[in-house]
Amino acid sequence: MCQIKSLPLPDNSGLNGRYKGNKLTIRMKKIQIINGPNLNLLGKREPTVYGNASFEDYLSELRARFPQCEISYYQSNVEGEIINKIHEVGFEYDGIVLNAGAYTHTSIALHDAIKAVTTPVVEVHISNVHARESFRHVSMISAACRGVILGFGLGFVSVGDRIVYVIEGLVGYQIELIIRL
């Protein structure tokens, strides 16, 4: 379901929407975050690589900080279920943020699923895969994605703002963005 928000209309607004009095009505942008195998173990699995925070805690902070986006979350350890989710949302959502986990390095099927849909997809990785084992240096999905972000961790300030920065590029309107490194 699409939510509608009305925002005060700034002078010379570059936002796309509908004028309603002195307000601009904008449909909330729908973003789907999809996490692949073993990412359900964030906060428990290899904390030196992935940190101590669970994804659910991070997601709550992300939604609170960016209420102008409808952010949906899905996680699966099964390749076919991830493909089904991409197909399900890939023609109606405004953007997909995908961390395919280990399937990044092996799945031509995910590559094909991303190419088959019209929703732009951004590949993300919590760790810097190029600083890890050599088999992680090759992505089977990067060529099908709009872009790639990796290596900034799951921290609310670093990766969170970068994910939202990607969302800004996907949905085509400016979202408040503060990056502190």
Side-chain angles (χ1 to χ4, degrees):
M1 184 166 112
C2 225
Q3 296 181 5
I4 303 292
K5 281 204 170 184
S6 290
L7 306 172
L9 182 62
D11 292 337
N12 301 318
S13 173
L15 299 174
N16 293 321
R18 233 174 93 188
Y19 290 101
K20 201 175 208 180
N22 65 348
K23 296 193 179 234
L24 178 66
T25 301
I26 300 173
R27 180 180 65 85
M28 284 184 65
K29 299 301 182 171
K30 293 171 68 172
I31 305 300
Q32 176 70 58
I33 297 173
I34 301 174
N35 277 343
N38 300 311
L39 292 166
N40 57 307
L41 298 177
L42 287 175
K44 300 174 187 171
R45 173 187 175 213
E46 299 180 80
T48 57
V49 175
Y50 299 106
N52 295 313
S54 74
F55 195 84
E56 289 74 14
D57 291 341
Y58 165 70
L59 184 61
S60 296
E61 293 176 357
L62 190 62
R63 285 176 173 153
R65 183 168 167 110
F66 298 97
Q68 66 271 43
C69 289
E70 180 184 330
I71 302 173
S72 300
Y73 174 61
Y74 180 79
Q75 188 280 327
S76 178
N77 294 317
V78 180
E79 182 180 25
E81 291 176 1
I82 296 168
I83 291 168
N84 287 343
K85 182 53 89 171
I86 291 169
H87 290 173
E88 177 188 326
V89 303
F91 296 96
E92 61 185 64
Y93 276 57
D94 298 296
I96 298 172
V97 178
L98 173 63
N99 184 339
Y103 290 136
T104 299
H105 319 292
T106 62
S107 182
I108 295 169
L110 277 175
H111 174 276
D112 291 349
I114 294 164
K115 299 255 322 172
V117 300
T118 57
T119 298
V121 178
V122 173
E123 175 185 353
V124 298
H125 297 282
I126 297 166
S127 68
N128 179 351
V129 295
H130 300 290
R132 298 182 66 196
E133 303 92 343
S134 61
F135 66 85
R136 297 185 194 276
H137 298 181
V138 175
S139 170
M140 301 302 283
I141 66 173
S142 290
C145 292
R146 174 75 56 94
V148 179
I149 296 175
L150 56 87
F152 291 101
L154 189 60
F156 178 63
V157 174
S158 62
V159 169
D161 286 338
R162 281 174 171 61
I163 287 175
V164 172
Y165 177 77
V166 170
I167 291 170
E168 176 183 343
L170 289 173
V171 300
Y173 72 89
Q174 187 174 358
I175 294 173
E176 175 189 5
L177 176 63
I178 300 170
I179 298 176
R180 296 184 187 122
L181 295 177

